[in-house]
Amino acid sequence: MTVAPQQSGVLRGIAVAVQDTSAAERLLGRVTDLPVTVRDGDRWTALDAGGLTVALTVTEELPGGAAVSLNVKVADVAAAHDLLIAAGALSVMAPALTAHEERAAVRLGDSVVLSIYRSLPRQA
């Protein structure tokens, strides 16, 4: 099954579960010069990899106990989720609203999920 162009998403980030985000950031900093764009205490560090976000995060932040999440921005989360389920994917998170986005996830492999999301409009 192919995806119609209007349903295509954009890979915006890769999140990797680590035990210690500070230690992982220090080690990664030894071999890259990726600038930190967001740091949320010990639970989340986002780095800019030239327009793609590489996030180091604690396992609890990834859906379905995944070790890696490919994060794809889509226009319609429910439609993309339904399309993936129809194509045989296993849902690990049904479409749900958070404070900043709508998000869902399906399993790609044993420890990899595809997280689909759309940002919500900012409240004035």
Side-chain angles (χ1 to χ4, degrees):
M1 175 181 286
T2 59
V3 177
Q6 69 273 16
Q7 295 174 328
S8 294
V10 177
L11 179 63
R12 298 295 296 268
I14 300 170
V16 179
V18 296
Q19 290 182 345
D20 182 334
T21 57
S22 296
E25 180 186 338
R26 279 192 306 278
L27 289 171
L28 190 57
R30 297 272 189 159
V31 295
T32 73
D33 59 354
L34 300 178
V36 172
T37 57
V38 176
R39 186 177 291 117
D40 187 358
D42 291 334
R43 76 174 192 91
W44 188 271
T45 300
L47 304 114
D48 180 6
L52 182 74
T53 298
V54 174
L56 306 171
T57 186
V58 294
T59 304
E60 297 79 26
E61 292 296 321
L62 298 182
V68 176
S69 175
L70 302 177
N71 303 324
V72 176
K73 190 171 189 175
V74 298
D76 186 330
V77 172
H81 184 259
D82 290 347
L83 183 71
L84 291 163
I85 298 305
L90 174 65
S91 179
V92 295
M93 183 179 159
L97 292 173
T98 69
H100 307 289
E101 63 194 7
E102 181 182 17
R103 176 173 290 280
V106 298
R107 189 162 305 285
L108 289 181
D110 290 340
S111 59
V112 179
V113 297
L114 174 63
S115 294
I116 50 178
Y117 73 97
R118 73 175 177 91
S119 300
L120 297 177
R122 292 184 182 203
Q123 301 296 322

